[in-house]
Amino acid sequence: MPLTTRAKSFGRVGVGAPLAVANQTVGILGGSFNPPHDGHVQITGIALRRLHLDQLWWVVTPGNPLKSNGGLPPLPDRISACEKLMINPRVTITGFEARLGTPYTAATLGYLRRRFPGVHFVWIMGADNLATFHRWQRWREIASEVPIAVVDRPGWRLKAVASPAARALAAAYIPESQAANLARMDAPVWTLLSGPLSPLSSTALRAAKS
């Protein structure tokens, strides 16, 4: 069953997603952002430039279903921290996913595709996430519904390209020289973007404070 069908129960306008208009290209960078850091900013800059995006949304999630969320700061606090760090008129910070009542990316993207049928969405994730993408709920459906841009992360490139998901989606890979066209391509399609590598990670930053 396609994601757009599963998302019908979420309604059309009550969730409070940011605004987008038909034919725009919009990147989605989801995460707990606990805390947000310059690595997120760097990924955002690479995606905006290389994918030729009109907008990019930081979707601050209620929690990660693959991780323990004990001690996770309240959503408004994490949104506020993101807003202080990421100042760019083409970037929107949003927590609308909390109102969907589900933490799963598949449902979030299904809602967005139904709410904005004329918008070209791209899912953006770090290479560390591609390495574990096969553990995500309905990951194959995610890949079949929206283009995916994977941004290189320190120490993760080889693990990412050797991952079960990358191997399964090998036929859908395009070279990064074609990244500017990715948003308007039919899924499944994905690429791996190179660029300056930030050593920062939310996990390391939390550990340094403990």
Side-chain angles (χ1 to χ4, degrees):
M1 186 181 298
L3 299 181
T4 49
T5 301
R6 285 196 177 104
K8 284 184 178 179
S9 62
F10 296 139
R12 294 190 60 84
V13 297
V15 173
L19 297 179
V21 299
N23 211 40
Q24 279 193 324
T25 55
V26 178
I28 305 295
L29 180 63
S32 58
F33 294 93
N34 178 34
H37 53 74
D38 285 341
H40 294 124
V41 175
Q42 191 173 76
I43 287 175
T44 298
I46 291 172
L48 284 170
R49 292 191 303 271
R50 300 291 300 283
L51 303 177
H52 291 196
L53 299 175
D54 295 306
Q55 298 187 57
L56 193 148
W57 300 349
W58 283 17
V59 179
V60 186
T61 66
N64 187 332
L66 295 180
K67 297 180 181 179
S68 171
N69 294 303
L72 186 67
L75 181 63
D77 292 351
R78 287 180 283 129
I79 290 175
S80 177
C82 289
E83 290 172 340
K84 292 176 182 177
L85 178 66
M86 184 71 252
I87 302 174
N88 185 314
R90 292 162 61 193
V91 178
T92 299
I93 313 299
T94 176
F96 79 88
E97 192 177 54
R99 298 187 65 183
L100 289 179
T102 173
Y104 295 109
T105 298
T108 299
L109 292 176
Y111 164 76
L112 290 175
R113 283 174 55 80
R114 181 172 181 269
R115 175 71 179 86
F116 304 102
V119 173
H120 304 280
F121 288 104
V122 180
W123 179 256
I124 299 164
M125 62 181 172
D128 51 331
N129 285 318
L130 178 60
T132 59
F133 189 40
H134 61 285
R135 297 174 56 199
W136 293 25
Q137 186 188 71
R138 305 202 304 268
W139 68 271
R140 291 180 183 272
E141 294 180 29
I142 295 171
S144 71
E145 290 287 335
V146 294
I148 297 174
V150 180
V151 182
D152 198 7
R153 294 279 289 146
W156 284 98
R157 189 181 189 95
L158 294 180
K159 296 176 184 177
V161 299
S163 67
R167 295 198 303 270
L169 298 171
Y173 175 80
I174 63 168
E176 60 180 312
S177 60
Q178 299 180 33
N181 302 315
L182 181 73
R184 299 183 184 277
M185 292 181 175
D186 293 329
V189 61
W190 68 283
T191 194
L192 177 60
L193 301 179
S194 303
L197 300 180
S198 171
L200 296 175
S201 75
S202 295
T203 301
L205 290 172
R206 290 196 303 271
K209 289 183 177 181
S210 62

